[in-house]
């Protein structure tokens, strides 16, 4: 098993909750493979914990399996064996938690349990309101990947509304944590891997660091029966009721439809934008797609555009979907050489911009001494600013990113200043920071300019993936 990586903040929040003296009802959710179970297990290490993973079987079978797990952790007990309902089991666990002076009960895939027994949220409410757990020894964690159903649990109409003591969505890992799955790789390859798999720990854990990026891509996507060859379709099928409709919508967006009207025109069976809206909302909830507005535009302007957000979906639609027939016939190696490798730098351009924006969102404090209030981009009819935003002190940030094979010179600054002159955004800002991101670093001339001008920051790849401890074995990335 891979060693546990990252998740510092999530762990801290959970452990703080487990340390409180009151009873806890934690709702933890996040898309499939995001690492919820691993996180709960890590957070409850060195504590007494019952971790139960529900499945799609009948309610009575899930309850029986939970009782078995309780017996395994707490020891066999005829009292437990005689209990045949959820409320009884919850009361039993609460009593044992008091005796043991602390116990975590984690019910993973809670929506499966509710699917088999729709009364379960009311049972939990009844249990909670009976104040049996008030002593604070019992910590209940309800966990699930069906995000819509977990959010439903928190909704006002649901019996559990207002009872939770903590609700937390588990998000994809940031680049710096993801890079730790392939610690000996050079930063460019770590960033490329992140732009292909995203921050989903399960996908990252499938990587074999001694192998090259190409070998990993071939094994994960291109070989016959490769584990991620159908992953986006699998995800849609496992989370949603109309996977075909969702798949058509993501395909339309991947193929360049950015406005709702353009998407409707490409998806069979849809006629009106209003019909499309619920699907778009759900896909945004799952962070498969995102809706963006140029920061310069009026908030109510109708110039939003949709794009794929999830890196795996982006990579799959760009390189796997068009080649599925060749892959099925065993031509994975040829697909890599002819159809993927020559286009990877082109793919990385926008992916690198996303990484730059994420970096400023997460690390503005460390760079500028003040957090960011908004980071996005600005576009007009004849220009685009890759990175733009404001910091909490009212200053403005603008940036440009270059995933090119050569160092970046002073002309990049002129180019960015020309674009800034065309916009109205943050005209009143007191200060302006310019930030440049480059794969191959910066010319001496630009470095000298940045040494003198404190309003300019140059960021190389090493800084983006910088980790707290050095890479074991130094730079020993296998060739691409
Ligand atoms: N923090 C982590 N560090 C290292 N590996 C991790 C981490 N989190 C998850 N993984 C890897 O990802 C795999 C999937 O994680 P996990 O089963 O926890 O996800 P999940 O969100 O519960 O998934 P699902 O909803 O599909 O059941 C784990 O088996 C583990 O290999």
């Amino acid at each position: 098993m891979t060693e546990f990586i990252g998740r510092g903040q999530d762990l801290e929040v959970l452990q703080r909750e487990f340390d409180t003296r009151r009873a806890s009802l934690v709702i933890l959710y996040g898309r499939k493979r995001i690492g919820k179970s691993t996180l709960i297990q890590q957070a409850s290490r060195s504590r007494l914990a019952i971790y139960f993973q529900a499945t799609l079987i009948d309610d009575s079978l899930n309850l029986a399996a939970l009782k078995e797990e309780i017996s395994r952790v707490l020891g066999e007990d005829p009292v437990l064996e005689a209990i045949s309902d959820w409320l009884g089991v919850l009361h039993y666990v609460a009593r044992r938690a008091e005796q043991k002076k602390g116990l975590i009960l984690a019910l993973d895939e809670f929506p499966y349990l509710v699917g088999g027994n729709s009364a379960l949220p009311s049972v939990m409410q009844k249990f909670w309101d009976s104040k049996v757990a008030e002593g604070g020894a019992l910590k209940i964690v309800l966990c699930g990947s069906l995000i819509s159903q977990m959010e439903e649990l928190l909704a006002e109409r649901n019996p559990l509304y207002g009872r939770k003591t903590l609700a937390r969505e588990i998000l994809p890992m940031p680049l710096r944590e993801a890079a730790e799955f392939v610690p000996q790789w050079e930063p460019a390859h770590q960033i490329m891997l992140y732009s292909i798999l995203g921050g989903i720990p399960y996908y990252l854990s499938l990587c074999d660091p001694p192998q090259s990026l190409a070998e990993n891509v071939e094994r994960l996507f291109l070989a016959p029966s490769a584990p991620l060859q159908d992953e986006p379709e699998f995800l849609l099928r496992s989370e949603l009721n109309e996977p075909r409709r969702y798949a058509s919508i993501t395909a339309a967006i991947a193929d360049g439809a950015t406005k709702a009207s353009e998407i409707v025109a490409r998806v069979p069976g849809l006629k009106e934008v209003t019909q499309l809206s619920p699907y778009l909302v759900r896909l945004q909830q799952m962070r498969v797609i995102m809706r963006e507005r140029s920061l310069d535009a009026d908030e109510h302007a109708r110039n939003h555009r949709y794009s794929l957000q999830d890196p795996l979906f982006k990579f799959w639609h760009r390189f796997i979907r068009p080649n599925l027939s060749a892959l099925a016939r065993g031509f994975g190696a040829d697909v890599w050489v002819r159809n993927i490798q020559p286009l990877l730098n082109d793919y990385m351009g926008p992916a690198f911009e996303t990484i730059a924006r994420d970096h400023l969102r997460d690390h503005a404090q460390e760079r500028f001494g003040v957090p960011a209030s908004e980071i996005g981009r600005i576009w007009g009819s004849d220009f685009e600013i890759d990175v733009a935003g404001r910091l909490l002190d009212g200053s403005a940030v603008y940036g440009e990113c270059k995933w090119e094979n050569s160092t970046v010179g002073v002309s990049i600054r002129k180019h960015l200043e020309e674009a800034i002159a065309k916009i109205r955004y943050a005209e009143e800002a007191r200060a302006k920071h310019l930030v440049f991101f480059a794969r191959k670093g910066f010319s001496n001339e630009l470095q000298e300019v940045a040494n003198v001008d404190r309003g300019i920051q140059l960021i190389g790849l090493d800084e983006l993936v910088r980790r707290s401890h050095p890479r074991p074995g130094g730079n020993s990335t296998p060739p691409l």
Side-chain angles (χ1 to χ4, degrees):
M1 174 163 164
T2 349
E3 90 184 84
F4 186 83
I5 290 173
R7 298 291 190 207
Q9 270 186 7
D10 295 313
L11 276 177
E12 205 181 304
V13 170
L14 271 181
Q15 276 165 347
R16 210 180 313 132
E17 179 69 24
F18 292 160
D19 284 338
T20 58
R21 286 167 182 275
R22 55 172 163 72
S24 294
L25 180 59
V26 177
I27 311 266
L28 207 63
Y29 59 107
R31 62 173 264 185
K32 271 192 133 21
R33 331 281 214 198
I34 201 82
K36 301 174 295 294
S37 325
T38 309
L39 177 69
I40 298 178
Q41 285 169 3
Q42 182 73 9
S44 48
R45 256 172 32 144
S46 75
R47 296 171 199 259
L48 189 61
I50 297 161
Y51 170 82
F52 175 66
Q53 171 117 33
T55 52
L56 269 172
I57 50 177
D58 276 344
D59 181 53
S60 57
L61 298 177
N62 264 322
L63 185 61
L66 170 61
K67 281 169 58 181
E68 246 172 63
E69 187 55 26
I70 297 171
S71 305
R72 200 186 61 75
V73 177
L74 300 178
E76 301 212 343
D77 183 349
V79 175
L80 174 65
E81 274 164 36
I83 301 174
S84 58
D85 65 297
W86 279 97
L87 193 58
V89 168
L90 290 169
H91 278 276
Y92 176 82
V93 173
R95 273 198 310 279
R96 298 300 308 270
E98 291 296 332
Q99 286 166 3
K100 297 278 183 187
K101 303 208 173 350
L103 174 64
I104 296 168
L105 173 64
L107 301 179
D108 200 354
E109 298 302 357
F110 188 68
Y112 287 166
L113 294 178
V114 179
N117 177 353
S118 57
L120 198 53
S122 308
V123 173
M124 304 266 333
Q125 178 209 6
K126 203 164 157 196
F127 165 72
W128 192 256
D129 292 351
S130 71
K131 312 244 186 255
V132 201
E134 217 173 32
L138 181 61
K139 311 283 172 190
I140 298 180
V141 184
L142 306 180
C143 190
S145 54
L146 291 168
I147 295 181
S148 51
Q149 293 188 19
M150 292 305 282
E151 286 188 343
E152 174 68 24
L153 269 186
L154 300 172
E156 211 169 326
R157 57 189 169 276
N158 198 292
L160 286 179
Y161 175 76
R163 268 84 182 171
K164 63 152 200 315
T165 55
L166 171 74
R168 189 162 177 90
E169 181 178 5
I170 306 306
L171 297 173
M173 287 178 159
L175 171 63
R176 287 182 184 181
E177 290 179 10
E180 290 183 36
F181 283 82
V182 284
Q184 59 275 69
W185 286 18
E186 68 174 65
H189 291 184
Q190 291 174 322
I191 290 175
M192 287 164 91
L193 184 73
Y194 188 70
S195 303
I196 293 171
L197 300 181
I200 310 296
Y202 169 67
Y203 304 150
L204 293 161
S205 72
L206 296 177
C207 285
D208 186 13
Q211 288 190 334
S212 67
L213 179 67
E215 285 166 332
N216 273 292
V217 169
E218 205 163 330
R219 187 171 46 80
L220 297 179
F221 291 96
L222 309 180
S225 312
L228 302 181
Q229 200 169 89
D230 302 319
E231 183 66 13
E233 294 191 328
F234 166 79
L235 260 183
L236 297 180
R237 272 201 308 274
S238 58
E239 297 253 339
L240 301 161
N241 281 337
E242 296 169 85
R244 200 176 290 278
R245 172 66 52 85
Y246 284 98
S248 306
I249 293 170
T250 48
I253 295 174
D255 294 345
T258 59
K259 297 197 177 87
S261 54
E262 292 167 358
I263 302 169
V264 167
R266 292 192 197 193
V267 176
L270 286 183
K271 292 194 177 61
E272 309 275 344
V273 168
T274 47
Q275 290 175 289
L276 175 68
S277 301
Y279 298 98
L280 294 178
V281 168
R282 182 60 58 83
L283 287 168
Q284 285 175 82
Q285 228 175 17
M286 292 169 67
R287 294 172 207 278
V288 169
I289 65 167
M290 64 182 190
R291 191 169 96 126
E292 254 185 318
R293 167 178 72 80
S294 169
L295 291 185
D296 197 25
D298 178 359
E299 271 195 42
H300 305 292
R302 295 164 135 251
N303 71 342
H304 287 106
R305 63 188 191 192
Y306 292 93
S307 60
L308 294 183
Q309 177 175 12
D310 185 294
L312 188 92
F313 275 75
K314 286 189 206 174
F315 181 79
W316 188 84
H317 278 285
R318 174 88 183 257
F319 295 117
I320 306 300
R321 178 168 59 106
N323 291 304
L324 279 173
S325 318
L327 296 179
R329 284 182 282 123
F331 293 118
D334 299 80
V335 167
W336 169 259
V337 171
R338 289 170 193 278
N339 296 355
I340 302 182
Q341 193 179 29
L343 301 173
L344 262 187
N345 277 347
D346 181 46
Y347 173 77
M348 281 305 300
F352 190 42
E353 292 168 15
T354 304
I355 284 171
R357 283 190 291 272
D358 288 349
H359 177 82
L360 289 187
R361 232 172 256 129
D362 295 344
H363 301 287
Q365 173 79 48
E366 118 198 357
R367 290 214 155 268
F368 310 106
V370 55
S373 50
E374 70 171 350
I375 297 287
R377 59 176 144 176
I378 296 179
W379 61 83
S381 53
D382 60 345
F383 72 94
E384 176 138 1
I385 301 178
D386 302 339
V387 179
R390 283 175 199 265
L391 305 181
L392 271 184
D393 64 0
S395 56
V397 188
Y398 301 103
E400 193 152 332
C401 309
K402 292 281 176 223
W403 188 264
E404 283 170 4
N405 235 339
S406 51
T407 55
V408 165
V410 285
S411 60
I412 193 174
R413 178 186 185 179
K414 184 164 168 274
H415 184 253
L416 180 58
E417 295 274 17
E418 281 169 6
I420 295 170
K422 296 182 182 177
I423 60 175
R424 299 187 332 262
Y425 182 72
E427 275 169 333
E428 77 295 352
R430 286 184 291 116
K432 185 172 77 182
H433 307 273
L434 302 185
V435 194
F436 300 107
F437 298 83
R439 174 190 180 188
K440 289 287 178 184
F442 306 93
S443 69
N444 290 339
E445 196 185 354
L446 184 55
Q447 289 187 44
E448 278 162 25
V449 172
N451 283 342
V452 184
D453 186 341
R454 291 175 57 91
I456 297 184
Q457 295 208 24
L458 308 181
I459 303 179
L461 302 193
D462 238 333
E463 281 187 72
L464 292 173
V465 297
R466 189 179 53 210
R467 56 199 72 64
S468 45
H469 45 84
R471 268 172 260 153
N475 252 349
S476 58
T477 307
L480 184 64

